[in-house]
Amino acid sequence: SFRCLSALTPELRTTLDKVVASQKVLLFMKGTAEFPQCGFSSTVVQMLKSLNVPFETIDVLENEILRQGLKEYSNWPTFPQLYIDGEFFGGCDITVEAYKSGQLQELLEKALCS
Amino acid sequence: MGVTKEQVESSLKSKLSPSHLEVVDVSGGCGAKFTVEIVSEQFEGKRLLERHRMVNAALSEELKDIHALSITKALTPNQWEQQQESEKSQAAV
């Protein structure tokens, strides 16, 4: 049977390791913080804005290889993908849950002070 | 090509043997957008991220065609019972 080649090359993995480590709060999303292209991405942006934390975003719609590779890198099939302190935190549903319970704020405070 | 609600349910049932499962097709019929509420003993001792990963893994085939999957609940039977209780008591107030 036919098997697709992995989009996550060793080079892309190394690059992503550096990218996620370079930011305290990083959101891979559809569109930009100013112009989200999807409701789920928009929701996470709104939550981060309301918590008043600095964060960076990367638009996965701009780069198909990045988009496919990230799914493997994070072991997560959809976007948005939130990284906190270099670690994958979750997608939209998990972030909403954590926002409601106060865990998100707690974790972000910890990350930003570390 | 879309995925049916029945396909999503049967994959989740066979892989996570849930005690409660509610799959809703919110795509308006094209089968590209679902919400899932699932209660399973297999979630015991696992963080939410791990639980969601288990659901995603169970639906790895379907996810190739699903555009949006929202896991609204991924609970253990105990958590589910507690939530049902508290909803009941809130409704009574």
Side-chain angles (χ1 to χ4, degrees):
Chain A
S1 71
F2 179 79
R3 268 184 80 92
C4 289
L5 286 174
S6 169
L8 185 62
T9 59
E11 292 77 18
L12 182 54
R13 181 179 286 281
T14 309
T15 306
L16 286 172
D17 281 342
K18 282 183 198 150
V19 171
V20 299
S22 69
Q23 303 292 338
K24 293 279 187 186
V25 186
L26 179 62
L27 183 67
F28 293 99
M29 62 179 284
K30 293 184 176 174
T32 62
E34 289 71 31
F35 297 104
Q37 300 290 316
C38 155
F40 296 97
S41 287
S42 175
T43 300
V44 176
V45 166
Q46 292 312 315
M47 286 188 285
L48 293 174
K49 280 189 176 166
S50 84
L51 291 174
N52 219 4
V53 292
F55 64 98
E56 293 292 327
T57 64
I58 292 178
D59 184 358
V60 296
L61 296 178
E62 295 271 300
N63 187 330
E64 185 60 24
I65 294 170
L66 172 69
R67 182 173 165 185
Q68 293 309 323
L70 259 171
K71 293 182 186 181
E72 291 173 53
Y73 182 81
S74 312
N75 183 23
W76 195 257
T78 54
F79 291 94
Q81 296 184 1
L82 179 63
Y83 275 78
I84 300 174
D85 231 352
E87 240 188 278
F88 180 60
F89 180 72
C92 183
D93 297 328
I94 287 180
T95 310
V96 168
E97 278 299 309
Y99 179 79
K100 284 195 217 154
S101 72
Q103 277 178 336
L104 183 64
Q105 183 164 17
E106 207 176 293
L107 193 70
L108 288 171
E109 277 168 9
K110 212 188 281 173
L112 292 166
C113 295
S114 68
Chain B
M1 201 196 69
V3 173
T4 64
K5 172 177 170 329
E6 287 72 27
Q7 270 173 278
V8 174
E9 283 172 346
S10 94
S11 292
L12 289 173
K13 276 181 190 159
S14 72
K15 288 172 183 135
L16 297 170
S17 38
S19 59
H20 165 86
L21 177 65
E22 195 177 318
V23 177
V24 182
D25 183 340
V26 286
S27 65
C30 77
K33 199 170 170 186
F34 294 91
T35 65
V36 171
E37 193 177 287
I38 181 167
V39 179
S40 167
E41 275 181 5
Q42 294 183 34
F43 292 148
E44 206 74 60
K46 300 211 161 57
R47 291 189 305 146
L48 191 59
L49 177 62
E50 292 173 77
R51 294 176 187 188
H52 282 218
R53 280 206 164 119
M54 288 163 74
V55 173
N56 289 335
L59 296 175
S60 59
E61 275 308 306
E62 289 81 358
L63 273 169
K64 289 173 190 164
D65 294 310
I66 296 176
H67 292 244
L69 176 74
S70 185
I71 306 167
T72 51
K73 278 180 188 159
L75 304 172
T76 63
N78 277 340
Q79 291 174 319
W80 171 248
E81 237 168 72
Q82 278 171 12
Q83 221 176 70
Q84 296 292 96
E85 286 298 312
S86 75
E87 269 168 30
K88 248 185 260 165
S89 62
Q90 271 173 6
V93 169

